[in-house]
Amino acid sequence: QRKEVATLVQDGKLLYEMRLFDEAEVKLREAIKQDPANQPAYYYLSLIQEAQYADRARQRDEMQRRRVLEVEGAW
């Protein structure tokens, strides 16, 4: 079982690095389900959450910039 959990964490890490966050999260949550004390799985889950938050922040900033440009263009 330890080998299976390690494989799940490694797969999750690889998927995270490929920015396939949803798929990575599934693998990491399965690893945690099988081994609730697996710290690397929690670590990569936290990295995924941080990356998703940063992505949403960038999207909000971009939307805000577009709105400002639309208002300026209308003037």
Side-chain angles (χ1 to χ4, degrees):
Q1 182 182 353
R2 291 183 72 200
K3 188 174 183 178
E4 182 180 343
V5 170
T7 300
L8 286 167
V9 173
Q10 188 63 32
D11 290 349
K13 176 186 175 198
L14 179 62
L15 290 165
Y16 160 75
E17 291 170 348
M18 295 170 61
R19 299 190 61 80
L20 299 171
F21 299 134
D22 293 336
E23 293 92 335
E25 186 173 352
V26 168
K27 297 281 187 180
L28 295 168
R29 291 204 183 277
E30 180 60 31
I32 289 169
K33 183 178 175 185
Q34 292 184 29
D35 178 11
N38 190 291
Q39 291 303 311
Y42 288 106
Y43 172 74
Y44 286 109
L45 271 179
S46 71
L47 290 180
I48 289 169
Q49 291 171 344
E50 289 175 16
Q52 288 173 328
Y53 177 81
D55 285 349
R56 286 191 299 271
R58 276 191 292 278
Q59 289 170 351
R60 277 193 310 273
D61 289 347
E62 182 59 32
M63 188 182 316
Q64 219 30 37
R65 271 180 257 166
R66 279 192 225 137
R67 288 179 180 164
V68 167
L69 289 174
E70 287 173 8
V71 169
E72 287 178 353
W75 283 13

